[in-house]
Amino acid sequence: MGLIDFLKSNGSKPNIEQFKTRQTDAFVDSILLELKSVSAQAVKQAIEDRETKYMKSVLEESYFLLDSLVISPKDREVAKKFEEFLSTHESVDTEFRKKFFQQIIQREYRSSRGSSVRVPIDFEATVQLGTDSLESLTSEEGFQIALKGRRISFEVVASLSGPFKREITSSRFGKAISTPSTTENQAFSQTDISTRSHSKNTRSETMVEIQVNDALGNRKELLKLPALIGRDPTPFSNQFGLSSFKVSSTYVSRCQLVILEIMGQVYYYLPDNASLSCMRDDDLILEKLKLYPLKHKVATSLRTGIASEITNQINFQGSHADYASIQLFLQDASPENHEDTPRPKAVA
Amino acid sequence: MSLRCVYACALNVNGNSKKGFDAFSANLNLNIFTLCDGANSCSGSGMAAEWLSQVMTTDEPQHLSDQLMARHLEMCQKFPETGSTLLRVKASNQELELASIGDSFLWLFHKSWRGFAPWKCVETMPRDIDENGHPTQLVGSEVCQTIHVREHRPEGLYCAVMMSDGPGLKTTEEALKKCLSMLGRNEPSDADLAYLCNSLAIDAQNSGCTDDTSVAMIWLKFN
């Protein structure tokens, strides 16, 4: 090799290293678009099968929910590669399967008739091997594919539930409503959807019975939650839409106690602006912004007028006009506690 | 005269398997529909309501009040500790007959002007309740004296809405009209009515109904 040839050969070699696409990545690239398309087609088919039963007016104010999406590889080769791909990645990231299928599934699908299909946030498609998934391509099929370019490698079947009433946006109507269904006689599936817990929570209206002994004597009232108790709770309760109870005693904060329900459990706590604390009947002094659960059907007694820094037991020297006593008793209208319909009896 | 009839029911929509005091039955040959709500303070009321709803969908030659009294006595024998409300809709070419006993709700809506007018409530059946809202009479109980019956002319479009007392107390006539406004002049499918029944039931529960929740709708077209 001469000097010129040597320089030529060195100059023509670019200083870039070319990475080869790995086999699995190439496989995923090839199937991703196909899976998206076949899944959308399956959902479209499911929605078209269902929507014919309903009036347009019903479809316009409701939505269907994607219940399941079953993906079946159509031959042995694809099944093997797909399973290998999923298991390889799952060994590194346990959440991989979920993440992968989230790329395939759209958040919402629509039909030309106005129906919409929503996909639950935690939805996960299922890969299911069928009898086709175990069969290899015949030479004839291979020949046809060679002529046509490629064939669809997956079969996808979608199933829906609903229709469910669409939520009314809270900004416009002030209240959000969701309507999951449970009855089977209406061809609705019994899918447990996230909206159910919301509807269940809004169903029960929890009431707290408050009994106060203060300068005005002994009084009892039922308060709807959330509620604020204190010497002058009205400005805050009006501002934040709480029900209120006024306590008339010397040593009580303007906003002494907040009672509220979180995830079905009722709590009470001292708000940040409470200058005084309360002592519970078990001598516990309440701390600011700490949630204390209110037990069902168990009365909780509190005495007002405790300085926040006191941690040891104290004896109350004054009367209820100075240190009010507050008793909280939880009542709720849950299904287990509602009053049953009695059987009418003849009046003598 | 021809009569078209579509119906649906959302029964015991409360997701609690222990509940199930309401029962609905339909006899499509005779166009008779019943919704019964068993007294949930008594065990076996669900079965009693089921039995009553079924036997009251049969047509008997005797007058309805006589038929009911016979069934009441039979129910006292079969289910001595229970009681049940009864709502009944019977459609024929001669008349549209509504009947009720107890504290359940039954409304009848009519869409006049060949269906071009909006739905209008033409009947709200009386409820037998005391000052506490408890039923004063139930079929199969110690007190079962008067069945309320209303008759309407068989013409045009009607929709009867039946509810057990729980959802009925949380539902307004306006809400029902709004719901029915989705039904135009065309015949709805049973799936449409099922959707509306279920929506009303869920709306009632969202409004605080914790009782047994059942809603039934019967759409009728007399030509």
Side-chain angles (χ1 to χ4, degrees):
Chain A
M1 189 191 294
L3 181 65
I4 294 167
D5 291 336
F6 173 76
L7 290 170
K8 265 187 186 173
S9 65
N10 265 357
S12 65
K13 264 189 186 173
N15 198 18
I16 299 166
E17 192 179 349
Q18 287 187 341
F19 291 99
K20 281 186 179 174
T21 309
R22 283 182 302 168
Q23 207 178 354
T24 50
D25 291 342
F27 172 71
V28 173
D29 288 344
S30 69
I31 64 164
L32 204 59
L33 191 66
E34 182 184 319
L35 274 174
K36 269 186 190 177
S37 157
V38 180
S39 301
Q41 197 59 37
V43 174
K44 196 181 160 201
Q45 183 63 46
I47 196 171
E48 281 173 359
D49 290 348
R50 261 181 181 255
E51 70 178 359
T52 50
K53 295 177 196 165
Y54 296 93
M55 288 178 148
K56 203 163 188 289
S57 55
V58 170
L59 296 174
E60 280 169 355
E61 76 131 46
S62 62
Y63 66 93
F64 294 93
L65 207 63
L66 184 60
D67 235 11
S68 70
L69 195 74
V70 180
I71 299 169
S72 304
K74 280 171 91 174
D75 64 61
R76 192 187 176 91
E77 183 71 10
V78 175
K80 202 177 157 194
K81 275 187 181 173
F82 195 46
E83 198 54 45
E84 204 174 274
F85 161 72
L86 290 175
S87 55
T88 307
H89 284 79
E90 261 182 329
S91 62
V92 180
D93 178 4
T94 50
E95 291 286 298
F96 176 76
R97 192 177 285 252
K98 197 174 169 180
K99 288 175 191 167
F100 175 74
F101 287 121
Q102 273 173 356
Q103 289 180 61
I104 293 165
I105 302 160
Q106 292 169 213
R107 285 179 69 186
E108 192 175 21
Y109 296 87
R110 285 196 169 269
S111 82
S112 54
R113 232 187 127 208
S115 319
S116 73
V117 176
R118 291 185 189 176
V119 181
I121 297 164
D122 55 349
F123 183 82
E124 208 172 317
T126 313
V127 179
Q128 197 168 287
L129 299 183
T131 45
D132 288 353
S133 313
L134 302 174
E135 286 172 13
S136 301
L137 284 179
T138 60
S139 56
E140 197 176 318
E141 283 172 326
F143 177 67
Q144 282 174 356
I145 292 162
L147 290 176
K148 283 165 129 184
R150 68 190 304 261
R151 72 159 193 171
I152 303 296
S153 314
F154 295 93
E155 190 175 11
V156 181
V157 179
S159 72
L160 310 176
S161 59
F164 304 115
K165 197 171 170 181
R166 278 184 202 169
E167 296 87 358
I168 298 167
T169 52
S170 56
S171 56
R172 197 170 153 200
F173 296 93
K175 187 183 174 188
I177 301 166
S178 60
T179 57
S181 163
T182 52
T183 47
E184 217 171 326
N185 62 331
Q186 294 159 53
F188 297 166
S189 81
Q190 301 222 349
T191 317
D192 195 13
I193 52 176
S194 57
T195 46
R196 181 175 294 170
S197 61
H198 166 71
S199 73
K200 202 175 174 184
N201 288 340
T202 52
R203 261 169 58 189
S204 66
E205 195 171 84
T206 312
M207 307 286 281
V208 164
E209 186 185 282
I210 171 167
Q211 190 172 354
V212 170
N213 201 348
D214 59 5
L216 300 174
N218 203 350
R219 292 168 294 142
K220 197 189 277 188
E221 200 173 300
L222 269 180
L223 284 183
K224 198 176 152 186
L225 296 185
L228 177 62
I229 301 166
R231 185 157 46 83
D232 186 18
T234 320
F236 295 94
S237 61
N238 287 348
Q239 189 182 349
F240 299 108
L242 314 175
S243 47
S244 62
F245 191 95
K246 194 173 175 182
V247 179
S248 301
S249 69
T250 314
Y251 302 109
V252 65
S253 300
R254 280 151 54 88
C255 297
Q256 185 64 75
L257 209 61
V258 177
I259 311 166
L260 79 173
E261 187 178 3
I262 305 169
M263 306 284 283
Q265 171 66 53
V266 177
Y267 298 91
Y268 57 95
Y269 73 93
L270 290 184
D272 198 29
N273 56 352
S275 51
L276 293 167
S277 181
C278 295
M279 181 185 273
R280 213 163 60 182
D281 45 5
D282 59 355
D283 296 338
L284 176 91
I285 294 169
L286 305 189
E287 290 172 41
K288 270 187 191 177
L289 299 177
K290 184 174 176 181
L291 292 173
Y292 298 91
L294 196 58
K295 287 176 188 165
H296 194 76
K297 289 187 175 175
V298 176
T300 301
S301 297
L302 300 163
R303 200 78 193 263
T304 65
I306 311 294
S308 301
E309 60 272 17
I310 294 174
T311 51
N312 55 341
Q313 192 181 348
I314 59 158
N315 292 316
F316 294 97
Q317 299 295 324
S319 65
H320 283 113
D322 293 326
Y323 303 96
S325 81
I326 302 169
Q327 195 175 67
L328 307 171
F329 188 77
L330 179 61
Q331 292 191 335
D332 82 15
S334 65
E336 292 72 28
N337 298 302
H338 81 268
E339 198 179 350
D340 292 336
T341 305
R343 186 172 182 255
K345 288 193 176 0
V347 181
Chain B
M1 181 176 279
S2 71
L3 167 62
R4 295 284 307 158
C5 184
V6 184
Y7 76 96
C9 179
L11 196 65
N12 297 310
V13 184
N14 43 28
N16 186 339
S17 57
K18 287 179 188 168
K19 304 280 175 194
F21 290 94
D22 300 343
F24 177 82
S25 291
N27 184 333
L28 282 178
N29 293 325
L30 299 170
N31 292 318
I32 301 176
F33 307 89
T34 55
L35 180 70
C36 298
D37 178 1
N40 55 6
S41 64
C42 317
S43 60
S45 290
M47 280 194 292
E50 181 74 41
W51 176 83
L52 182 67
S53 74
Q54 284 172 6
V55 295
M56 288 307 291
T57 51
T58 58
D59 200 22
E60 293 179 14
Q62 55 190 329
H63 192 265
L64 179 61
S65 57
D66 296 332
Q67 182 190 350
L68 178 77
M69 201 43 69
R71 297 306 189 188
H72 162 64
L73 294 173
E74 204 178 333
M75 190 167 156
C76 290
Q77 298 277 321
K78 280 178 180 283
F79 308 97
E81 299 298 322
T82 61
S84 173
T85 69
L86 171 70
L87 298 175
R88 185 179 191 259
V89 173
K90 182 189 170 193
S92 68
N93 290 335
Q94 287 76 42
E95 64 178 8
L96 173 60
E97 184 190 71
L98 312 178
S100 76
I101 185 165
D103 62 343
S104 296
F105 286 80
L106 172 52
W107 294 268
L108 182 69
F109 289 85
H110 187 232
K111 204 166 172 33
S112 54
W113 293 99
R114 292 181 172 270
F116 284 104
W119 289 100
K120 185 185 170 191
C121 184
V122 290
E123 191 74 72
T124 306
M125 292 301 281
R127 297 173 63 232
D128 305 307
I129 49 167
D130 62 14
E131 63 277 10
N132 297 317
H134 295 145
T136 50
Q137 58 167 352
L138 290 175
V139 185
S141 75
E142 286 180 29
V143 193
C144 178
Q145 291 163 338
T146 314
I147 183 163
H148 311 285
V149 181
R150 301 284 186 272
E151 284 163 6
H152 287 262
R153 283 187 297 173
E155 55 183 30
L157 284 175
Y158 283 100
C159 188
V161 183
M162 304 200 272
M163 284 192 195
S164 47
D165 62 319
L169 287 167
K170 300 288 179 189
T171 307
T172 61
E173 201 180 295
E174 284 309 307
L176 288 175
K177 275 187 199 169
K178 193 180 164 197
C179 182
L180 290 177
S181 68
M182 292 172 71
L183 302 177
R185 293 174 63 231
N186 297 332
E187 182 176 322
S189 66
D190 51 358
D192 289 320
L193 292 188
Y195 169 78
L196 295 181
C197 289
N198 199 63
S199 295
L200 286 169
I202 299 293
D203 283 350
Q205 290 186 338
N206 285 342
S207 302
C209 168
T210 54
D211 201 351
D212 308 313
T213 307
S214 296
V215 180
M217 267 188 194
I218 299 120
W219 180 94
L220 302 151
K221 187 177 185 179
F222 296 93
N223 279 320

